[in-house]
Amino acid sequence: MKDIFDECYLGDLKLNSHIIRTGTWETETEDGGFLTPKVFDRYEKIAKSGTGAIISEIFALDHRDRFYPYSTNMNYKGFFKDYKEITDLVHKYNVPILGQLAFFYYNDGLNQKVEPNDISLEGIRRLQAEVIMAAKKLSFAGFDGMQINMGNNFYLARFINPYFNQREDSYGGNTENRVRIVSEIIKLIKDNFDMHISCRVNPNDVRKGGITQEENIEICKLLEKAGADSIQLTGRTISYAYEEMRLNPFVDYANKLTNELNIPVILGGNLREMSKLNEILNTTDVEFMSLSKPFVAQPDFLAEWKENGEGVSICQSCNNCYSKKESYCFKFD
């Protein structure tokens, strides 16, 4: 029997368990963007609890972005000092860490909120250059890789989506063209940095005329071909998928996708019980599972699970941490 606390590999990254922690918001900062002691304490608790790998809270590109006030910032004076300390702290427990890049709007220099159909080729090159510069900063700060968030409803999720993208040039039309903006970014990062690149994608769009599960498989294959090292599943909205109260709304799809790719697939979506996680690990080909809100409610809960051989997260899925854009739990902090 496999166990979630077995050592394993996510591509070239050695993990202490099959559990990936995914961050969302970072609001516990001081004037100027500097991290408070609570942030360092939280990362250490997560790292030493038995986590396999850590994906950071969202890093934003632009101070005018929709979620910038709730996100981490790589443009303040103390960024390299703070995050080199974070990555060193996490590495002390032999846990790899990826920096998560996500932006809702994009400012091309002419339009603060330029849409995928309207951004010029020059604007696309500017966007790509900014993402690659973000990768360089994360590399210098000691991160083992970067996750490009092209899921949920962020900018790149909309760019690759036929619902939003009706361009008639090489960045629009068929699937390969719409994914090209990210494929080119991945190739350049892999050519210049020794970094694990993970892509966060929606299994489907839940919009008429949007991305289907079948097209997402094609998208993931294109990302793999470009050099992506792992795929993480998320959802623009997943409430519809829980109507049948299934084990996990994406587990069947994650299993199918795992067998279509030669790179790891990370399953996400309301995972709360150790027994359920071990059931997925032993009854499917899915090897990696991502949790977010349980780490907000209790950063070191995995230590208790490992010691007891069982456990259920105290997270009540109230969603306040997400909806209120906070990095702490309103019930248990």
Side-chain angles (χ1 to χ4, degrees):
M1 292 285 288
K2 298 178 185 176
D3 185 84
I4 60 170
F5 291 108
D6 292 339
E7 290 186 351
C8 53
Y9 281 87
L10 182 73
D12 292 333
L13 300 176
K14 185 177 181 181
L15 275 55
N16 297 323
S17 74
H18 293 263
I19 303 302
I20 313 293
R21 178 271 192 173
T22 296
T24 305
W25 313 117
E26 185 55 86
T27 55
E28 294 183 314
T29 57
E30 298 171 339
D31 290 343
F34 295 89
L35 303 180
T36 67
K38 285 186 177 180
V39 178
F40 297 92
D41 181 59
R42 181 167 68 246
Y43 269 101
E44 182 166 27
K45 285 181 177 177
I46 293 170
K48 72 179 182 180
S49 69
T51 308
I54 292 175
I55 297 173
S56 77
E57 285 82 13
I58 290 170
F59 283 99
L61 281 178
D62 192 311
H63 69 277
R64 290 161 291 194
D65 194 46
R66 176 179 177 180
F67 297 122
Y68 182 87
Y70 323 107
S71 302
T72 47
N73 173 10
M74 60 177 65
N75 298 313
Y76 69 99
K77 290 181 179 179
F79 166 75
F80 289 108
K81 180 180 180 298
D82 275 356
Y83 277 95
K84 188 62 171 68
E85 188 173 340
I86 291 284
T87 55
D88 285 347
L89 190 63
V90 168
H91 289 153
K92 184 173 72 173
Y93 299 97
N94 299 314
V95 176
I97 179 170
L98 310 183
Q100 180 189 173
L101 184 71
F103 48 98
F104 192 84
Y105 299 128
Y106 184 67
N107 176 12
D108 65 353
L110 299 173
N111 186 335
Q112 183 180 336
K113 301 177 182 179
V114 64
E115 292 299 327
N117 283 338
D118 303 320
I119 188 171
S120 66
L121 290 178
E122 182 181 353
I124 287 173
R125 294 291 174 262
R126 175 174 172 163
L127 183 156
Q128 292 174 319
E130 289 190 31
V131 174
I132 292 163
M133 180 57 70
K136 184 176 183 179
K137 289 181 177 180
L138 291 171
S139 178
F140 283 178
F143 286 86
D144 301 284
M146 180 169 76
Q147 181 172 86
I148 302 173
N149 194 328
M150 45 193 294
N152 304 110
N153 207 30
F154 287 106
Y155 191 85
L156 292 174
R158 302 197 304 278
F159 197 102
I160 67 172
N161 193 329
Y163 182 89
F164 294 99
N165 185 339
Q166 289 88 40
R167 299 176 68 95
E168 296 181 354
D169 60 5
S170 59
Y171 291 91
N174 62 37
T175 306
E176 183 176 7
N177 282 356
R178 284 182 276 113
V179 176
R180 190 184 308 278
I181 187 171
V182 182
S183 297
E184 291 176 341
I185 289 170
I186 294 171
K187 289 175 183 177
L188 283 168
I189 293 174
K190 298 299 288 187
D191 285 345
N192 290 279
F193 305 103
D194 182 19
M195 300 183 75
H196 181 108
I197 300 300
S198 180
C199 294
R200 196 173 183 184
V201 301
N202 301 325
N204 56 296
D205 186 56
V206 203
R207 288 188 181 97
K208 186 177 180 180
I211 291 172
T212 63
Q213 290 191 355
E214 291 71 25
E215 185 180 22
N216 186 60
I217 292 175
E218 185 179 352
I219 288 170
C220 292
K221 288 181 177 180
L222 290 167
L223 296 171
E224 178 184 9
K225 182 179 179 181
D229 298 289
S230 65
I231 299 292
Q232 181 176 357
L233 297 180
T234 183
R236 182 180 71 86
T237 175
I238 59 175
S239 57
Y240 76 95
Y242 286 100
E243 293 178 358
E244 300 176 14
M245 298 302 289
R246 302 175 59 206
L247 176 65
N248 179 280
F250 299 148
V251 68
D252 292 339
Y253 181 73
N255 189 53
K256 179 179 180 180
L257 185 60
T258 296
N259 288 288
E260 293 279 351
L261 303 177
N262 294 309
I263 57 175
V265 174
I266 304 168
L267 172 67
N270 208 35
L271 301 167
R272 299 287 184 270
E273 300 179 39
M274 182 174 173
S275 61
K276 299 290 187 183
L277 295 170
N278 272 324
E279 182 178 341
I280 293 170
L281 189 61
N282 283 282
T283 60
T284 74
D285 293 319
V286 176
E287 291 283 335
F288 304 96
M289 290 149 285
S290 168
L291 289 78
S292 178
K293 297 182 184 73
F295 284 104
V296 179
Q298 185 183 358
D300 57 356
F301 72 93
L302 285 179
E304 295 180 5
W305 287 18
K306 189 172 184 179
E307 181 179 356
N308 298 331
E310 61 181 5
V312 179
S313 170
I314 63 173
C315 175
Q316 298 180 7
S317 299
C318 66
N319 214 36
N320 272 329
C321 61
Y322 181 83
S323 61
K324 295 183 182 297
K325 310 292 185 292
E326 298 287 0
S327 52
Y328 59 86
C329 181
F330 288 76
K331 292 180 178 290
F332 302 110
D333 189 66

